[in-house]
Amino acid sequence: MNVIELLQDLMNQKIGFLGGRTYGDVLVFLIIIIFSVIIAKIVRINVRRTLKEKVPLTTLNNVEKIVYYGIILIGFIVALPKIGVSLSGLLVAGGILGIVIGFASQTVVSNLISGIFLMIEKPIKVGDGVNINDVSGIVEDIRVLSTTIRTYDGIYVRIPNEKVFSSNIQNYVAHGARRFGYKIGIRYKDDAEKAISIIKDLLGENPFVLKEPSPTIFVEELGESSVNLNIKIWAPSSVWYSVYTEMLWKIKVTLEKEGIEIPFPQRVIWMGNKEG
Amino acid sequence: MFGKYDLDLKIKEKELEIVVEGNKKKKRYYRKKGEEEVEKFIYAKEGNLVICPVEPVNLPKEGVSEYLLVELDKPFVIEPGMKGNFYIKFPVEIGVFLVNRRDVERIDIFTFTKPKYTLYGPPERGVVCRWWKSVFYDEKPELSKLYEGLMKVNFENSYWEWVEIKKIVFRAFDMKLFYNEHAYMYSFLKISGKTVGETAFGSRKPKDMEESIDLYQAKGIKKFEKKFFMEWGFK
């Protein structure tokens, strides 16, 4: 008996618990599954290549996932009869099993449904800067069961979609522009109007300090050691942080160059006279 | 300065210097404008260098805006049913591209203008736009060719009231730029309400002008939305 005959015999051997199905059938089942996974991967890569830069990243990710899992599901449905599982039987069994699994996997289902609602409502998109459940960072992916965030320190955080959906979400880039501010104190002897004019000119020079809504600068408080100026700036949401970090130091340097200083806390002490 | 060049050139104009030099295959691209310098190496047997005006929304950082807002130095009021043309200026951004029969690659963008951005509309729904101030001209004005381009605006007030115009917003996606020694665009402004209108661009190439390379097409971005709906007024 040669090897081929041996293999043929093995393939024709029936497997008891699979109701008369042979090893050959199982092999065909596995080949179909593997084949569908390979096809799904190839199609996914091509979908990504074709649609990248043509559709928004979130849509691309969703399309990719639908295509990928859709092809695998089709492969699975095609392969099931090979191991003796009929689709009609599966549906009946699925109904009963569904109830059992439903109870056992409430959290998974809840995450799944939350994930679907997140994809429909779109409070966040891939690439957005967000704060969810006290986790701040960039949204890396919105999956069916969970959302992943890369914190600003580069740490990977996976949040179940149920939590994302029920949490307060702060999306820093949902609107085109956002406002931020500084409080800067100057000495009492400095000219506050001159300081305001210097800061206005400086902000006018920065391309991303928006012209409209225009920055507001005003004397907010006569503090213990300084006259406090309040500065409010609008900038495009996508670049606001670089504007924020750049402008504070520039304001300080420019004010000092113009002879306006930011004072240290100080207290005037009157010394009592012994004879008095 | 705008035009198509072989990969061997030297341009010196005011504070701008562009050089492509090297041997048959390996070349060096060098651009200097004031303090700003860019240097890249090019491996190419054939191909050309195209210098042309591009959609003016890329500097100092790309992706911040897709819109250009031109604010007129003085507002003008249009009678109901009135049609006509006027001219405005727009900021010029200059793109440098490598082209051959198969592909276009952008290697540099620079400008002589000072970019400034603004918001059109309310913060929660408005759009960030590149801001530019222009005088409103009846006739073609004189241009500082590398600094500003000319835009002809064909307007129509189809609303039944007088409408005052102080600013016009254009979508960069839709822009069609042309050039000879200066940059040129032809746009439409259709006013359909006191605070509502639509802007778009003409794509017919004017006589004696070349068509600029479309930056979005060069990036492989498909254009789907074209016209811009001005829903937050003209003031």
Side-chain angles (χ1 to χ4, degrees):
Chain A
M1 196 182 267
N2 61 25
V3 181
I4 296 172
E5 283 170 343
L6 204 72
L7 278 173
Q8 269 177 350
D9 273 357
L10 183 69
M11 290 298 135
N12 291 329
Q13 249 179 49
K14 292 187 175 175
I15 307 168
F17 66 89
L18 278 180
R21 297 286 152 175
T22 61
Y23 281 109
D25 291 332
V26 174
L27 188 68
V28 173
F29 171 80
L30 289 175
I31 288 170
I32 293 173
I33 297 290
I34 291 166
F35 199 61
S36 62
V37 170
I38 292 168
I39 290 175
K41 280 190 175 172
I42 293 169
V43 173
R44 183 165 73 172
I45 290 166
N46 281 299
V47 164
R48 176 161 276 270
R49 277 188 194 153
T50 315
L51 297 182
K52 205 181 173 192
E53 294 185 340
K54 286 181 187 163
V55 296
L57 198 58
T58 318
T59 316
L60 176 64
N61 284 343
N62 291 339
V63 170
E64 238 184 71
K65 278 169 204 162
I66 290 166
V67 169
Y68 182 73
Y69 291 111
I71 291 172
I72 292 175
L73 185 71
I74 291 167
F76 197 66
I77 291 167
V78 170
L80 275 177
K82 292 284 161 199
I83 53 166
V85 180
S86 74
L87 280 177
S88 53
L90 195 72
L91 287 174
V92 175
I96 302 158
L97 202 67
I99 297 166
V100 178
I101 293 173
F103 278 112
S105 59
Q106 271 183 16
T107 323
V108 175
V109 174
S110 167
N111 279 326
L112 179 83
I113 291 173
S114 300
I116 292 166
F117 278 112
L118 280 176
M119 283 171 190
I120 295 167
E121 195 194 332
K122 290 181 185 165
I124 51 171
K125 294 195 300 290
V126 173
D128 284 359
V130 295
N131 180 312
I132 302 168
N133 219 16
D134 285 334
V135 178
S136 288
I138 307 289
V139 178
E140 286 277 280
D141 200 0
I142 305 163
R143 294 179 193 150
V144 185
L145 296 178
S146 63
T147 296
T148 52
I149 289 176
R150 175 171 40 87
T151 67
Y152 295 116
D153 296 330
I155 295 161
Y156 169 97
V157 180
R158 176 189 176 277
I159 308 174
N161 279 340
E162 189 191 3
K163 222 168 207 176
V164 176
F165 196 68
S166 56
S167 300
N168 290 332
I169 297 173
Q170 283 183 306
N171 189 333
Y172 301 123
V173 294
H175 299 149
R178 65 160 289 177
R179 196 179 76 165
F180 61 89
Y182 309 118
K183 278 184 185 165
I184 291 176
I186 56 171
R187 295 176 301 189
Y188 267 87
K189 67 175 183 180
D190 290 327
D191 182 350
E193 280 183 4
K194 186 183 168 193
I196 289 171
S197 161
I198 291 166
I199 296 168
K200 261 191 187 160
D201 289 347
L202 193 66
L203 296 177
E205 290 290 308
N206 187 299
F208 292 129
V209 172
L210 293 180
K211 192 153 182 62
E212 289 294 333
S214 57
T216 50
I217 311 162
F218 57 93
V219 175
E220 187 188 47
E221 186 190 16
L222 300 174
E224 283 187 15
S225 318
S226 58
V227 174
N228 296 327
L229 303 180
N230 188 323
I231 303 163
K232 299 276 185 218
I233 299 166
W234 283 89
S237 298
S238 54
V239 291
W240 81 272
Y241 193 67
S242 61
V243 181
Y244 174 78
T245 50
E246 184 189 333
M247 291 317 294
L248 185 59
W249 187 249
K250 273 196 175 165
I251 290 171
K252 187 251 180 203
V253 170
T254 314
L255 284 178
E256 278 185 357
K257 218 181 263 178
E258 297 290 331
I260 296 170
E261 283 182 21
I262 295 164
F264 296 111
Q266 52 190 277
R267 192 166 293 276
V268 177
I269 300 168
W270 292 91
M271 304 301 284
N273 191 341
K274 268 187 187 173
E275 283 97 43
Chain B
M1 192 193 76
F2 298 134
K4 192 172 184 178
Y5 299 89
D6 289 333
L7 290 177
D8 183 15
L9 80 142
K10 195 163 193 169
I11 295 171
K12 201 156 190 182
E13 230 172 280
K14 291 179 186 170
E15 51 168 334
L16 175 72
E17 187 184 350
I18 297 178
V19 179
V20 179
E21 59 188 5
N23 55 34
K24 273 186 180 174
K25 281 185 187 171
K26 188 186 170 190
K27 299 169 200 302
R28 171 182 168 261
Y29 168 80
Y30 174 77
R31 191 263 298 165
K32 189 168 189 274
K33 183 188 73 71
E35 299 284 296
E36 196 183 297
E37 282 180 290
V38 173
E39 190 177 16
K40 286 182 183 180
F41 287 98
I42 303 164
Y43 278 90
K45 274 190 209 163
E46 48 182 37
N48 294 91
L49 194 86
V50 173
I51 303 173
C52 61
V54 293
E55 296 84 348
V57 292
N58 304 287
L59 296 170
K61 193 183 173 200
E62 279 183 65
V64 174
S65 171
E66 286 166 16
Y67 304 92
L68 171 69
L69 184 150
V70 178
E71 185 179 330
L72 302 172
D73 72 327
K74 288 182 183 86
F76 71 99
V77 189
I78 307 176
E79 189 186 3
M82 179 85 178
K83 287 179 188 177
N85 294 305
F86 61 87
Y87 294 93
I88 52 174
K89 291 177 180 179
F90 66 89
V92 167
E93 284 186 16
I94 299 162
V96 182
F97 298 87
L98 283 171
V99 296
N100 70 3
R101 275 170 293 172
R102 297 169 68 183
D103 192 30
V104 176
E105 179 68 23
R106 191 202 73 205
I107 56 168
D108 194 11
I109 293 185
F110 58 94
T111 183
F112 287 90
T113 61
K114 236 183 192 176
K116 186 77 182 165
Y117 286 79
T118 189
L119 187 73
Y120 173 66
E124 69 280 6
R125 289 180 60 215
V127 289
V128 173
C129 308
R130 166 88 191 265
W131 175 84
W132 186 254
K133 194 161 195 165
S134 170
V135 175
F136 155 89
Y137 302 93
D138 289 326
E139 301 289 328
K140 284 183 184 176
E142 287 278 307
L143 293 168
S144 171
K145 60 181 184 177
L146 296 181
Y147 179 77
E148 55 199 3
L150 181 69
M151 191 193 292
K152 184 177 179 180
V153 184
N154 177 275
F155 69 89
E156 181 185 348
N157 180 8
S158 48
Y159 192 53
W160 52 274
E161 279 184 35
W162 292 80
V163 176
E164 187 175 314
I165 306 285
K166 172 80 174 152
K167 56 190 171 193
I168 314 169
V169 181
F170 302 97
R171 188 191 289 274
F173 255 10
D174 188 33
M175 283 178 184
K176 273 276 171 202
L177 280 129
F178 303 96
Y179 64 90
N180 42 29
E181 61 173 10
H182 62 257
Y184 177 81
M185 283 195 269
Y186 178 45
S187 68
F188 301 96
L189 168 64
K190 283 189 180 168
I191 300 157
S192 49
K194 196 87 179 164
T195 58
V196 182
E198 198 172 75
T199 57
F201 286 87
S203 56
R204 189 181 289 174
K205 187 163 84 78
K207 221 176 158 188
D208 306 326
M209 282 201 169
E210 293 296 321
E211 190 174 337
S212 275
I213 292 173
D214 187 316
L215 202 59
Y216 295 99
Q217 276 177 2
K219 279 187 205 166
I221 295 172
K222 203 164 185 174
K223 297 179 169 188
F224 29 93
E225 282 177 272
K226 287 200 163 185
K227 292 171 182 172
F228 181 68
F229 183 58
M230 287 183 66
E231 56 183 310
W232 293 296
F234 303 103
K235 291 187 195 172

